[in-house]
Amino acid sequence: MAEVEETLKRIQAHKGVIGTIVVNAEGIPIRTTLDNSTTVQYAGLLHQLTMKARSTVRDIDPQNDLTFLRIRSKKHEIMVAPDKEYLLIVIQNPCE
Amino acid sequence: VSQHITETASTCRVPKKLLAETKDILSWLNPLRESGNTNNIYPLNVCWHREVLLPLTMLTTRVNVPVPNKVKFCIVFDEQGKDVTPRPLYRPEPSASLHRQSKILSTQDFSGATGSDFLSSFSMHQTSGVNASLVGPFSRTYGSSTISKSTTSTTESMADEIKNIFIFTLFNLTDVQVRRDEIKEQLTKEDIDKRVDIYLTETETIWLLDMPTVMMSVESEDAEKVQERNKDYIELCKNKVGNDRFVERMMQTLNGAPKTKEVQCEKILMEDKGIMATSWDLYDSFNALEPMLTSSVTERSSRPTKSITSSSIIDLESVILARIHEEEKDHSEAILKSEKFQQDLFFMERILMENVFQPKLAAYRQLPVLLEEAEEGEEEEEEKKETVVSSSLLLDLSEAPEEILPPNLERLWSYTCEWTNGHNVSSMAWNKLNPDLLAVGYGQFGFQEQKKGLACCWSLKNPMWPERIYQCDHGVTALDFSLANPNLLAVGMYNGTIAIYNVQTHNTTALLDSSESFDKHIGPVWQLKWIEQDRGITGDDKGEILISISADGRITKWLIRKGLGCTDLMKLKRTASERKKLTGEKEKKSEALISRQAPGMCFDFHPRNTNIYLAGTEEGHIHKCSCSYNEQFLETYRAHKGPVYKIAWNPFSADMFLSCSADWSIILWRQDSVRPILTFSSTTNVVHDIMWSPKSAFVFAAVNEGRVEIWDLSVSTLDPLIVTFANPGVKFTTVLFARNTDCILIGDNNGIVSVYELRNMTASDSNKHLS
C-alpha cells in the first residue's frame, strides 16, 4: 500500500504531469489532483472512449484486450490505463 | 320417432360404393363427421350449439347430449364448473331446428354450406340469410328416409317436427340428467384442476350402410330368383332417370350458428431491450457459459428494463459481484491495493519517463532522429513531433560524412534518485540477459568515509527511480550479475560480506549471505565475478562459480550449495621485488610485514581460457595465476608503483591486457612479456577504472578523478581521443561500456551514473588486433 502511494506521489510530482486521476468503475474519483468538475468530466469521457477502444480491439480478435490508451493532443498527452474496476488517468505535458 | 332416430343413428350405414353415387345424401353428412371425428371432441366453437338450444327447452341447465353408441363421451368443464364440452357438429338436430325457430338467433342464419371447412361455413352463414336452406338440418336428422319430408317447409310439418324435437329433447334431457348426476359424483376439485390431455385422433369409419355383394352359384336353387331380382333392379335403375318416383334432391349440411366468444387475458408486458452483439461479446458469453454452469450463481439484483448496452453474462456477473463487494469493504481501498493497479502505475510511470526522456532514449538506441517528421520507431520508442535538441547535430552527421565535430561525449541522462545522493558509485554491472538492466553499487572507497551502502537495479525505461533498491549495512564495493541465472546479483561489501540477491522478486532481503560463513572475507571485497568454468579437472560440476577477491589477500571461489560455501583459489602472498624474490629469509628481515598476504584489488579471467586469470594487488604487482595451481603464480608483472585498481583483458586480442593504478598510469601489457608494452599517463590523478570497448580492439575508456578519457590506440597512443571533464567537485569513479550501443556510463562520487553517448567515433574494425 505504501509502495502504491509512493509511486502515485512520484508520478504526480513528475516533470510535466498536469494531473493524475484514479476513478472506480462507477465514475467516482478515488484519487485526483485536479478539481472535482474536471475530474468528473475526464472520467466520464474517458470511460466511454475506453469502452469503445476496448470494443474495437476485441471485435477484431476476441482474445485480445486493451491494455493501455494514449491520446496525444496539441497541448498534452492523456494516458489511460483501463481496467474492469478502475481507470488510471494521467495527463502530461511532454514538451516541457 | 326418437327410437327411430336412434336407430337410424346407429344403424345407418352407407357402403362406400353407394356413397359415391349418392353424393347428395352425403352432402348433408357432417364433413367432420365423415372424417371420423367420433371422439366427440369438437372445437369449442361448436358449443354454441347447445347453448343456443336451451333457451327454448331448458334454460338453466346445461345438457350433455347423449352420444350415439359408437361415439366416445367426454366432458370438459371450465372454472365455474360450466360445461364447455365441445359439442359435436353432427347432432340429432331437433335442437337445431328449434334454435332456428327462435327469433333470438335471427341474426345467425344459415346458408347451405357443403364445404369441409366448418369455420368458413360459419362465415357464410352469417353473411347470407337464406331461410330456405334451413331445411337442411331437418332432413339430416332423419336420415335418408326423411328426404321426402325435407321438401316441405310448411308450418305443419314444422310443427310436427317441433313436436318430434320436443320429444327428442325431453328424452335427451331425462337421459342426460341421469348421466349428469353420475358424472357429478366423480368429479372433484382435483379433476377440474387436473391437466387433462386431450387427444385428437382420426376415428374409425362408421359404416352407415354396408351391403356386401352376395355371390351365388348359377346352378343353385335360388339362382333364378336372384337373377330375376337382379334384372328387376337393373330395370329399376334404368327407370329411375325420368321417373317421378325418384326425385333428386339436394341436401345441405348442417351448419351451426357461430357464436363469438371474447376472451381477455392479462396485460402482456412489453419490454424494450437493445443489445449490441459484438463478436467479443459472443466470445465472452460462450466462454463464460461453461464455468457458469458449474459455479453457484450469485443472487441477481434487478436490472433496469431498458438497457441499450452490451450485456454479456460476464459483465452482469462482474457488476453484481462488484456491488456485493461494495457492501463488504471499502471499494476504493481495494482498488488501490490491487495488484493490477500497482502494475498499471508501474507502466504509467515508465511511459511518463519515456515521454520525458524520449529523445535521449532514442539517441541511446541509436535511432535516426529526423527533424519535424515522424521517426521510424523501433521497439518501444514512440514518435515525437517536436524537434529533438540533439537531432540537429545528428542530422548534420548523417548528411555530411566528414566529421564536422571531433569525437565527443554527449551526455544523455543520468541515473539518480534521492536515495543515491551522496553515495559514491563503486561498481556497475550490466545484466547478462537484459542489456537494459543495470546494477549499481554505492559504497565509499575510503575507510574513514564508510557508511551504509546501496545496491540499485536501474532500468533503461525509468531513469528516475530504480527498479530495486537493496540497502546494505556496509558500503557496496563490488557487484556482478550471474550469467547462468540472470536474476542473481552478487554484491560484495566493505566488510567482506558477499550477498546474493534475486532481482526477480520485490523482496529486499538477500537470498544468500556469507556473513555466517566460516571462510568469509575479512577485508573489503573489491571485485566479484561470475565465471563460467569447466571444472572437469577437479571433478566438480561444470557450471558457474562466483569468484571474489578481497583485501585480505584471498581469491576465493564461492559455491551455492546449501548456503554459500567457499574455497580459496589463491592466496596472494606478498612478494618483494624481483631481486629479493629468491631469498625468503632476507625478505623477513628487510621488510616488516603486517601480514603475509597482499590485499587483492582486482582480477580478470582470460576471455578464452578461464583457467588463467590475472590478479592485481595493492602492492602494484599483477600476478598471472591458474586455477589449477593455488600455491604459485605463473607470472608476475611488476611495473606499477601503486595499487592496481583494475585489470582488463582485451576482448579481441587475447594476449593484451590493460591495468590501471593509483600511480596515475595505465599500462598495456602483453601476456608473455614481463615488461609493459605501453604506458599511458596523461594526468596526475588516480585512475580508478578502465574498460575496453566491446566494439573495438583499440578503444578503451579510463576514469581518473576529474575526467574521463577515451583512448583510441589506432589514432594515438599518447593522448586520449576524447576527454570529458567532470563538474567541479565531482569525481568520476567507475566506467562501463554499454554493450548494445555506443554509450558509456560513468559513475561519480555523488551517486550519479551518467550516460554518455560516444559520437563521431570512427567505426573501427573489431577484428583488428593490436599488433
Side-chain angles (χ1 to χ4, degrees):
Chain A
M1 190 60 200
E3 207 183 296
V4 165
E5 291 289 347
E6 218 183 273
T7 315
L8 258 174
K9 244 188 276 176
R10 272 211 313 278
I11 289 178
Q12 283 166 8
H14 200 81
K15 184 171 81 167
V17 170
I18 297 169
T20 312
I21 303 168
V22 183
V23 281
N24 68 355
E26 291 166 4
I28 300 166
I30 300 171
R31 283 267 190 288
T32 173
T33 58
L34 303 167
D35 56 284
N36 197 38
S37 56
T38 318
T39 305
V40 165
Q41 192 179 25
Y42 265 107
L45 294 167
L46 285 169
H47 182 67
Q48 290 173 35
L49 185 63
T50 314
M51 279 180 53
K52 188 67 184 170
R54 179 179 270 135
S55 176
T56 308
V57 167
R58 296 203 71 203
D59 258 344
I60 294 164
D61 177 8
Q63 288 175 329
N64 207 353
D65 198 7
L66 181 70
T67 51
F68 207 84
L69 186 63
R70 284 168 91 160
I71 305 157
R72 192 167 252 148
S73 72
K74 266 197 231 166
K75 293 193 186 165
H76 40 246
E77 183 171 355
I78 303 167
M79 293 167 276
V80 182
D83 187 73
K84 277 223 161 67
E85 288 165 39
Y86 61 85
L87 269 183
L88 170 63
I89 304 163
V90 174
I91 306 134
Q92 187 195 22
N93 188 351
C95 308
E96 294 169 28
Chain B
V1 168
S2 61
Q3 265 190 341
H4 171 73
I5 288 165
T6 48
E7 237 175 88
T8 45
S10 59
T11 60
C12 174
R13 291 157 97 216
V14 181
K16 285 237 161 127
K17 284 183 282 179
L18 280 176
L19 282 179
E21 291 174 11
T22 57
K23 236 193 268 178
D24 36 337
I25 298 169
L26 288 171
S27 62
W28 51 260
L29 269 178
N30 183 1
L32 272 180
R33 187 73 191 245
E34 179 166 62
S35 71
N37 196 350
T38 53
N39 274 344
N40 204 27
I41 295 161
Y42 294 97
L44 267 167
N45 51 23
V46 188
C47 63
W48 58 266
H49 204 93
R50 265 316 111 194
E51 292 169 8
V52 170
L53 304 168
L54 294 176
L56 283 177
T57 55
M58 305 291 284
L59 285 159
T60 51
T61 60
R62 304 282 173 159
V63 176
N64 292 323
V65 178
V67 178
N69 308 346
K70 296 209 168 71
V71 181
K72 294 216 179 80
F73 187 69
C74 166
I75 308 161
V76 175
F77 289 87
D78 67 1
E79 296 155 41
Q80 280 88 37
K82 291 185 201 170
D83 172 31
V84 290
T85 319
R87 311 291 160 80
L89 283 176
Y90 176 54
R91 276 284 139 234
E93 287 36 3
S95 29
S97 58
L98 260 180
H99 106 39
R100 217 158 328 96
Q101 288 295 306
S102 71
K103 295 299 171 195
I104 298 165
L105 305 158
S106 57
T107 52
Q108 290 170 339
D109 293 327
F110 304 95
S111 59
T114 55
S116 56
D117 187 0
F118 190 73
L119 289 168
S120 60
S121 72
F122 273 167
S123 56
M124 280 168 66
H125 295 167
Q126 284 173 346
T127 48
S128 61
V130 179
N131 275 335
S133 57
L134 297 175
V135 181
F138 282 116
S139 51
R140 184 154 68 95
T141 327
Y142 302 104
S144 52
S145 55
T146 59
I147 289 171
S148 48
K149 279 198 185 170
S150 64
T151 51
T152 56
S153 54
T154 54
T155 46
E156 297 91 340
S157 62
M158 295 276 265
D160 285 358
E161 276 158 13
I162 289 164
K163 252 196 278 173
N164 293 336
I165 289 156
F166 250 108
I167 296 162
F168 179 83
T169 50
L170 282 171
F171 167 75
N172 284 346
L173 289 170
T174 49
D175 197 16
V176 160
Q177 260 176 344
V178 170
R179 203 159 312 172
R180 198 199 163 92
D181 290 343
E182 291 169 9
I183 287 152
K184 243 191 182 167
E185 286 156 38
Q186 291 160 17
L187 215 58
T188 58
K189 177 110 184 174
E190 288 91 36
D191 289 334
I192 295 166
D193 292 333
K194 193 167 64 176
R195 222 183 127 136
V196 179
D197 293 323
I198 296 171
Y199 300 96
L200 301 172
T201 54
E202 188 175 326
T203 53
E204 42 191 85
T205 315
I206 295 172
W207 289 101
L208 296 171
L209 180 65
D210 185 16
M211 286 167 52
T213 333
V214 179
M215 309 280 266
M216 275 181 106
S217 162
V218 178
E219 288 153 12
S220 71
E221 296 161 7
D222 294 332
E224 284 178 22
K225 286 184 200 165
V226 170
Q227 276 177 343
E228 269 180 43
R229 267 171 46 203
N230 284 350
K231 274 188 220 155
D232 287 338
Y233 183 70
I234 290 163
E235 274 177 33
L236 179 74
C237 287
K238 276 191 213 157
N239 292 336
K240 234 194 197 179
V241 181
N243 208 330
D244 286 332
R245 292 174 68 199
F246 299 98
V247 178
E248 280 207 9
R249 179 124 205 117
M250 306 282 266
M251 285 291 144
Q252 285 178 36
T253 56
L254 178 68
N255 294 312
K259 174 188 171 183
T260 56
K261 188 174 175 93
E262 284 171 17
V263 176
Q264 194 175 38
C265 65
E266 277 184 15
K267 182 183 175 193
I268 297 167
L269 298 166
M270 306 282 278
E271 268 188 28
D272 284 330
K273 193 158 182 84
I275 282 183
M276 194 166 74
T278 51
S279 51
W280 55 267
D281 199 356
L282 296 166
Y283 178 85
D284 280 346
S285 309
F286 182 73
N287 278 352
L289 259 178
E290 270 111 38
M292 252 196 73
L293 290 169
T294 53
S295 71
S296 58
V297 181
T298 58
E299 43 163 329
R300 291 174 165 262
S301 56
S302 59
R303 305 280 290 154
T305 48
K306 281 203 184 188
S307 54
I308 315 178
T309 54
S310 63
S311 60
S312 75
I313 301 168
I314 292 180
D315 278 356
L316 268 172
E317 285 287 340
S318 66
V319 171
I320 290 158
L321 285 169
R323 283 189 189 165
I324 291 169
H325 274 304
E326 254 182 296
E327 299 153 25
E328 292 168 4
K329 53 186 171 184
D330 187 7
H331 203 212
S332 61
E333 284 303 309
I335 289 176
L336 291 174
K337 284 181 194 149
S338 72
E339 221 180 272
K340 178 95 195 329
F341 187 70
Q342 281 186 18
Q343 211 179 39
D344 279 343
L345 275 178
F346 178 69
F347 288 141
M348 186 67 81
E349 201 183 354
R350 285 192 166 187
I351 287 169
L352 284 175
M353 297 296 171
E354 191 191 330
N355 270 339
V356 172
F357 287 102
Q358 197 271 342
K360 319 285 186 185
L361 292 171
Y364 183 87
R365 288 267 190 246
Q366 297 170 317
L367 295 170
V369 179
L370 299 170
L371 218 66
E372 296 274 271
E373 269 173 48
E375 295 164 52
E376 296 118 13
E378 195 182 291
E379 297 168 14
E380 62 267 34
E381 303 302 328
E382 282 273 324
E383 294 158 356
K384 208 171 168 4
K385 294 216 176 108
E386 296 92 14
T387 60
V388 167
V389 172
S390 55
S391 65
S392 55
L393 294 166
L394 281 172
L395 204 61
D396 290 335
L397 249 188
S398 56
E399 282 170 358
E402 325 91 62
E403 289 162 5
I404 300 167
L405 295 164
N408 63 337
L409 286 181
E410 168 87 15
R411 188 171 174 285
L412 292 178
W413 73 87
S414 38
Y415 289 113
T416 180
C417 76
E418 57 191 13
W419 286 95
T420 62
N421 279 340
H423 284 88
N424 174 43
V425 176
S426 61
S427 53
M428 297 190 287
W430 288 109
N431 185 300
K432 304 289 191 290
L433 187 65
N434 179 2
D436 291 336
L437 197 62
L438 176 72
V440 180
Y442 301 88
Q444 311 299 112
F445 284 145
F447 181 75
Q448 250 95 25
E449 303 131 13
Q450 279 307 301
K451 57 181 174 182
K452 289 201 172 192
L454 273 182
C456 293
C457 289
W458 293 88
S459 162
L460 185 73
K461 295 174 186 167
N462 190 348
M464 287 184 69
W465 189 259
E467 303 297 314
R468 304 275 185 273
I469 302 175
Y470 300 112
Q471 305 208 354
C472 309
D473 288 332
H474 303 273
V476 172
T477 50
L479 20 96
D480 198 21
F481 269 108
S482 159
L483 187 61
N485 308 307
N487 57 322
L488 291 181
L489 174 70
V491 175
M493 286 177 249
Y494 199 84
N495 70 336
T497 319
I498 294 173
I500 297 184
Y501 291 90
N502 181 2
V503 297
Q504 264 179 345
T505 64
H506 278 268
N507 196 1
T508 53
T509 56
L511 206 63
L512 282 172
D513 204 330
S514 83
S515 37
E516 314 293 306
S517 145
F518 276 124
D519 294 326
K520 65 174 184 181
H521 286 296
I522 305 160
V525 178
W526 288 115
Q527 190 150 9
L528 275 176
K529 261 215 173 108
W530 291 89
I531 301 293
E532 191 79 34
Q533 243 191 15
D534 182 19
R535 307 289 291 134
I537 306 158
T538 53
D540 282 345
D541 300 329
K542 189 196 272 189
E544 225 190 8
I545 47 172
L546 177 65
I547 301 192
S548 67
I549 188 168
S550 95
D552 62 356
R554 283 158 57 209
I555 301 173
T556 40
K557 171 179 80 167
W558 296 84
L559 301 154
I560 300 171
R561 243 191 265 142
K562 287 191 211 168
L564 228 44
C566 67
T567 53
D568 278 348
L569 269 183
M570 179 61 74
K571 285 190 172 49
L572 297 166
K573 284 173 253 179
R574 281 193 184 273
T575 52
S577 62
E578 232 177 9
R579 292 174 284 123
K580 291 181 187 172
K581 196 175 162 188
L582 300 160
T583 51
E585 298 103 0
K586 270 199 181 168
E587 265 181 56
K588 283 182 190 171
K589 281 185 204 165
S590 51
E591 293 169 26
L593 302 166
I594 297 165
S595 80
R596 286 272 313 165
Q597 302 199 312
M601 297 299 294
C602 55
F603 69 97
D604 196 11
F605 272 75
H606 194 280
R608 293 207 189 104
N609 181 5
T610 52
N611 232 358
I612 310 287
Y613 60 93
L614 293 165
T617 65
E618 212 177 6
E619 308 170 300
H621 301 311
I622 300 168
H623 304 289
K624 181 165 87 168
C625 323
S626 162
C627 293
S628 342
Y629 305 103
N630 56 0
E631 294 294 324
Q632 281 199 345
F633 308 130
L634 294 176
E635 191 91 50
T636 308
Y637 304 92
R638 298 160 216 268
H640 281 295
K641 296 174 185 64
V644 179
Y645 282 144
K646 197 74 189 284
I647 299 179
W649 284 99
N650 189 317
F652 300 102
S653 311
D655 286 338
M656 319 291 268
F657 64 91
L658 205 63
S659 66
C660 76
S661 123
D663 67 353
W664 314 337
S665 68
I666 305 166
I667 299 180
L668 179 68
W669 304 80
R670 192 189 277 164
Q671 202 186 177
D672 46 5
S673 156
V674 180
R675 297 249 163 262
I677 309 291
L678 279 175
T679 309
F680 312 101
S681 42
S682 51
T683 58
T684 55
N685 278 333
V686 174
V687 184
H688 279 287
D689 201 358
I690 47 164
M691 189 172 172
W692 284 101
S693 161
K695 297 214 163 102
S696 160
F698 297 106
V699 178
F700 67 89
V703 278
N704 41 41
E705 291 193 342
R707 52 195 225 174
V708 60
E709 298 168 348
I710 312 288
W711 293 77
D712 189 345
L713 296 175
S714 60
V715 172
S716 157
T717 56
L718 295 172
D719 286 313
L721 188 64
I722 309 167
V723 175
T724 304
F725 289 94
N727 295 332
V730 170
K731 293 183 194 173
F732 288 145
T733 52
T734 44
V735 73
L736 190 69
F737 270 95
R739 266 180 288 144
N740 48 357
T741 177
D742 279 336
C743 287
I744 191 169
L745 275 75
I746 299 165
D748 62 15
N749 67 344
N750 249 347
I752 300 171
V753 175
S754 315
V755 179
Y756 287 85
E757 193 195 351
L758 286 166
R759 300 218 272 112
N760 306 342
M761 300 276 291
T762 48
S764 33
D765 188 6
S766 60
N767 286 328
K768 272 195 205 161
H769 292 287
L770 290 177
S771 51

